[in-house]
């Protein structure tokens, strides 16, 4: 479900999905626990978790009749690599712009 190579970043644009992800960053939770903390239904939380899991941002494990969700360290590492690359590209572009010769020099003699 990765969009344009963004390592799942696009999924976090949804406020509910981001809230779920942020809660999981603080500790593992079940669907019921997440739904109790948010103004959305359990089925809605499940749908958001499914999207996050498909993107590799969360994992789940069985605990009796429940599934416990947690942030996936590998998914976070992919997200970080993506952001690091964007930052590196931006800094490289800034450096190139600063070091480029000024072609709009008004001091030219006609």
């Amino acid at each position: 479900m990765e969009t344009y190579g963004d390592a799942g970043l696009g999924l976090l644009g949804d406020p509910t999905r981001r809230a779920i992800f942020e809660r999981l960053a603080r500790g593992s939770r079940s669907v019921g626990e997440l739904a109790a903390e948010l103004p959305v239904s359990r089925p809605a939380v499940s749908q958001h978790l499914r999207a996050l899991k498909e993107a590799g941002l969360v994992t789940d494990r069985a605990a009796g009749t429940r599934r416990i969700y947690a942030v996936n360290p590998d998914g976070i590492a992919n997200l970080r690599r993506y952001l690091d690359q964007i930052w590196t590209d931006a800094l490289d572009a800034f450096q190139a712009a600063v070091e480029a010769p000024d072609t709009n020099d008004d001091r030219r003699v006609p």
Side-chain angles (χ1 to χ4, degrees):
M1 190 172 252
E2 195 171 303
T3 307
Y4 301 109
D6 71 3
L9 184 63
L11 289 173
L12 298 176
D14 179 276
T16 301
R17 205 170 288 139
R18 191 172 50 253
I20 290 169
F21 185 77
E22 288 170 356
R23 280 169 173 76
L24 292 176
R26 293 190 295 267
S28 302
R29 289 176 172 71
S30 68
V31 172
E33 290 168 327
L34 288 164
E37 297 174 14
L38 298 164
V40 295
S41 67
R42 288 172 61 117
V45 170
S46 292
Q47 288 178 341
H48 287 296
L49 286 167
R50 186 177 309 114
L52 291 167
K53 184 177 174 187
E54 288 174 1
L57 294 176
V58 302
T59 61
D60 65 335
R61 63 178 169 78
T65 59
R66 302 181 313 155
R67 301 221 51 88
I68 305 299
Y69 291 84
V71 168
N72 180 357
D74 293 335
I76 298 300
N78 289 338
L79 188 58
R80 172 131 191 199
R81 276 192 294 278
Y82 172 76
L83 292 171
D84 285 347
Q85 184 59 55
I86 295 296
W87 183 245
T88 298
D89 292 347
L91 289 176
D92 289 348
F94 179 74
Q95 181 178 7
V98 168
E99 294 175 351
D102 186 5
T103 57
N104 295 322
D105 191 351
D106 292 334
R107 294 178 291 169
R108 287 181 274 162
V109 178

